[in-house]
Amino acid sequence: MPDSIREKILQHIETTTLESITVANGYAINIGQVERGKVNPLKLERFPAVLIFPGEDEPESLISDLTDRSWQILLFLWVLAQKDISKAMETFLAAVQKRMLVDHTRGGNAMDTAEGAVTPIRIEEVDLQGGWILNYSIRYRTKRGDPFTLG
């Protein structure tokens, strides 16, 4: 069975987008780890890391046989710094923000990717670790009742 449009979008975010954050590609950092699903950030092994969490997917049926969807994707960014956590967090945030909008169509599977709220995460007991929660809204269209076919 082919992958659903949602799965294609997630694969694009994971591999084509986030795993391409490298010094060789012109970024100030190399991504350490990209994971999908529940992972405890304090148990990560390679930094900086991104955890991808699919959120709410709100359908809007159109008059035709198509359905527009607005899907929330949360990215949890996690950094382990050698000395300056603030600078490490800002560098990583900027790299992810830039890379997420290089292809706002997610490889042709979405109509748009819009950046939402950015929330810092700091754990007082862990001085040199911190991160961000980034919220993205991805608009895509499928045929009504068919999550495998673009509309």
Side-chain angles (χ1 to χ4, degrees):
M1 178 170 273
D3 290 330
S4 69
I5 302 304
R6 283 174 52 115
E7 177 60 24
K8 289 177 183 177
I9 290 170
L10 284 172
Q11 288 173 5
H12 185 273
I13 291 170
E14 182 178 9
T15 58
T16 305
T17 303
L18 297 173
E19 289 179 356
S20 296
I21 298 174
T22 64
V23 172
N25 285 337
Y27 294 89
I29 59 166
N30 287 313
I31 196 87
Q33 187 171 348
V34 178
E35 299 287 340
R36 286 169 48 184
K38 289 192 174 192
V39 176
N40 181 341
L42 297 177
K43 293 185 179 180
L44 291 169
E45 296 177 5
R46 296 179 319 236
F47 297 92
V50 180
L51 311 176
I52 304 167
F53 291 93
E56 182 176 301
D57 188 351
E58 184 70 31
E60 178 187 341
S61 293
L62 302 176
I63 295 172
S64 66
D65 65 341
L66 303 175
T67 300
D68 278 0
R69 305 186 79 88
S70 181
W71 188 20
Q72 303 304 307
I73 300 288
L74 297 175
L75 302 181
F76 287 72
L77 282 54
W78 203 250
V79 177
L80 173 62
Q82 298 299 318
K83 54 183 176 178
D84 186 349
I85 186 62
S86 178
K87 181 173 180 166
M89 286 175 63
E90 292 299 331
T91 300
F92 190 29
L93 174 64
V96 171
Q97 287 175 318
K98 178 180 177 181
R99 187 70 191 151
M100 278 296 292
L101 295 178
V102 166
D103 178 2
H104 67 98
T105 70
R106 313 272 53 103
N109 292 297
M111 296 180 290
D112 193 27
T113 300
E115 186 175 4
V118 176
T119 306
I121 307 167
R122 291 297 308 275
I123 300 175
E124 291 182 23
E125 296 82 22
V126 186
D127 290 335
L128 295 178
Q129 288 192 39
W132 301 97
I133 300 172
L134 281 67
N135 187 337
Y136 286 89
S137 179
I138 299 176
R139 290 188 52 239
Y140 69 104
R141 178 178 289 161
T142 61
K143 292 203 175 215
R144 186 176 296 161
D146 182 359
F148 300 96
T149 305
L150 283 172

